Amino acid sequence: MATPSERWQRRARQTRRKINCGWCLQVCATPVVGVALGLLGPALWARRVWPEAAPPGLAWVTGAALAVIVPGSWWLARRRFVTAGDALVRLEAQLGLHNRLSTAAAGVCPWPPLPDRADDGIRWSFSNTFLPLLAAAALLAAAMWVPVKARMLPAAPDEPAAWAATEDDLRELARQDAVAPESLDETQQRIAELRAQAAGKWFSHASLEATDKLRESHLQAMAELQRQLRMAAQSATRLAGDAAGELPAPTRAGLQDQFKQAVQGMQAGGMKPNKELLEQLRNIDPKQLRQLDKAQMEQLMQGMKDKAEALGKCLCRKAGDGQQQEGEAVLTESSDGPGKGGVDRGPGTTPEMFGEPANEVAAAQPQVLDSGDLTRALPGDVLDVTDSKHEVEMTSPALRTSGKADVQGGGGSTWQESLHPREQESVKKFFE
Amino acid sequence: MTHSLPTDAEIAAGSAKVRALLEAMNEVLYGQEDLIEAVVTGLLARGHLLLEGLPGLGKTELVKGLSGAIGMQTKRVQFTPDLLPGDITGNPVLQEVDGRRSFVFQPGPLFASLVLADEINRASPKTQSALLEAMQEGHVTVLGETHPLPQPFFVLATQNPIELEGTYPLPEAQLDRFLFKLDVRRGDSATLQKIVLNREIGRPPVVAQVMTAAELSGLIDLARRLFLPEVVANFIARLVDATHPGQSKASAQVRYGASPRAALALAAAAKARALIGGRPNASFEDVKAVALPVLRHRILLDYQARVEGRTSTDVVLALLAEVPTSAADLPRTLHTAPLAATHG
């Protein structure tokens, strides 16, 4: 059973806690509202820029701010804190005890009994306590949940498609081990140099020109290597197949030269084949090809075939992808056509193009029809175009009109005698 | 300052005696219960009182009744402009005894336990000074010879707030010597009816003596020994400090605030009031109850306040509303509810 002293002291501690809590709330109200206000703008901006990362980040920042503000407020409010003795004074003043509690605490008189309802008379001020906190919470909620349009970040500009296509080729060739790595490195290096320019210059005239040259030379090198591989394979096959020596000597010599030229071309070309294959081809004497056993021959042929196929694959891809010009690709990407964009999308602009629209119907130009079915040709269709000299009659024509022949007479009598009356009238008018 | 605290029995006995005195006084002066309590409080606080009120309100009757109830020697002096200091302190008189002549001091009216200084503001400053010296020092000095006054010694001075022509208002320094300045107000019609029914002109009322001067001295001593909690002393200090210009909002138009003597007066009066209430200690309530009569004649207002019609009473009431009992402020997040009913 607690004594009156203990009961009063406990009651005083409750009052003290309430007052000290009030001080803490008063001190922290301003910074809390300030932080909430300060966070509002950056939070909305962050949600616009980083829609996914902003809410957790805001929660962390808010938590960190509270972790600083609350202890800081306690520290600042500490000097205003009341003691249990102060709380006792408030209680005795509120309860009209004529300072009996202070007197009892001094040991002058006994403690009075604690009434059933010892109200300290201290009430929370809603406007001063909860309004700032509610305002801060509302601001933070607004920062967290007010709908914000996520900013469309500028996409990294697409690089010229030729770079990617060339790099795909290089990767494919490297994967197939079809070409000597040194041959690929040079091209790769040039692409890297082009890419090292400022992104805004990737599609400059000079850059596109360099890109086209690079792509062209790359394709040419691949085509050349493929051609030489095929040529070497073809001549080697025929030479190897002539085990019985049935080929006439000039033909054989021609095939041997062809093989040799192909190997030399591979060695001197911009794109060299696999080093192992090249070494193997170089060590083969075309005259001795007939003496290679079947397995060796098959291995050699398979090697050349694989490399040629790899090159062909890259070249085929070029044939499919190369239809679209660089400029058109860029324009297509950058145009705001329908079906793209977000809620503010519009009808979009018409696709841009370089130059005048092409005249689809070239009616004035004769074209050759592929169809060989001449029975279905229509009148006016050009059935054939030949390239030949015109047949010119070298002899002087002798004009004879109405039974008169005047080869030497000049044109004077011609227009008078051979023209129709209306024509004659026109000529006459001209010379007047 | 060390003294033994009174026991509960002493306090109860003392309180009973004081209440008997109050009842006796109330038999004499109808409808002035608050005034009588204030006067008795002033006596128990060992203070001199200044009663201000219109003629005929019973000031003199109050003093006479008090003297009768306590059984103290009482003298009355009507202050006039031609009253000399010697007229109240006493004069040396040439006396011949056995052929030898010598000056013998003839005590004046101040030599009484209870002196009624009627219309003190009509006396010259010189005479006022003589009276106020006696009030402060407890003795008078005539021709270099000091004569102690009887103890206890109380001066109950009166002054008329009207008819100020030819008067000498008491200077602030002298007003400060008075513990209380009490306003004597007229009673209501019921009180007047009671007076008419029970009193006759020319027949002073008979007051029963309820205690002796020695017992009064004992009660004064008892009141002095009552406990003054530190928080109450702190409240008194803050209250008196707040009377000075710039120390509070209420003192904005105050020219001079209350002196430390006012703080001592507040403490003594609060203890005396606690004794009347039979409590072992002075409290905030006691201080608030005596703050007005203690402070209002010690606060000097500036010209602007006088022009606006503000009085020192207004200032004291504003101070009581402004200065909190607890030194520890409440944060803005909290506020105090209206005071509960008095407990215990």
Side-chain angles (χ1 to χ4, degrees), chain A residues 349-396:
Chain A
T349 54
T350 54
E352 295 171 82
M353 58 186 67
F354 287 130
E356 292 296 322
N359 189 357
E360 297 293 337
V361 185
Q365 294 176 355
Q367 292 181 347
V368 179
L369 294 177
D370 290 336
S371 173
D373 185 5
L374 299 179
T375 59
R376 305 183 69 176
L378 295 172
D381 284 351
V382 178
L383 301 180
D384 193 12
V385 177
T386 55
D387 187 9
S388 61
K389 284 184 178 177
H390 293 283
E391 292 176 1
V392 180
E393 188 179 348
M394 302 306 288
T395 58
S396 298

Side-chain angles (χ1 to χ4, degrees), chain A residues 300-430:
Chain A
L300 179 66
M301 295 308 293
Q302 188 63 40
M304 285 193 287
K305 186 184 167 194
D306 290 347
K307 309 312 177 203
E309 275 179 4
L311 289 164
K313 200 170 169 185
C314 293
L315 288 167
C316 284
R317 192 164 54 199
K318 173 258 165 189
D321 297 344
Q323 300 299 321
Q324 196 179 32
Q325 295 301 314
E326 290 292 357
E328 290 176 13
V330 172
L331 291 174
T332 307
E333 285 298 317
S334 61
S335 64
D336 294 329
K340 290 193 173 184
V343 292
D344 59 346
R345 69 184 185 275
T349 54
T350 54
E352 295 171 82
M353 58 186 67
F354 287 130
E356 292 296 322
N359 189 357
E360 297 293 337
V361 185
Q365 294 176 355
Q367 292 181 347
V368 179
L369 294 177
D370 290 336
S371 173
D373 185 5
L374 299 179
T375 59
R376 305 183 69 176
L378 295 172
D381 284 351
V382 178
L383 301 180
D384 193 12
V385 177
T386 55
D387 187 9
S388 61
K389 284 184 178 177
H390 293 283
E391 292 176 1
V392 180
E393 188 179 348
M394 302 306 288
T395 58
S396 298
L399 295 174
R400 292 172 188 277
T401 308
S402 304
K404 291 183 179 177
D406 190 2
V407 177
Q408 305 300 327
S413 60
T414 301
W415 67 268
Q416 289 175 357
E417 295 176 10
S418 60
L419 297 180
H420 294 291
R422 287 181 64 190
E423 290 170 344
Q424 288 176 10
E425 190 67 26
S426 299
V427 171
K428 205 181 272 181
K429 250 183 188 175
F430 180 77

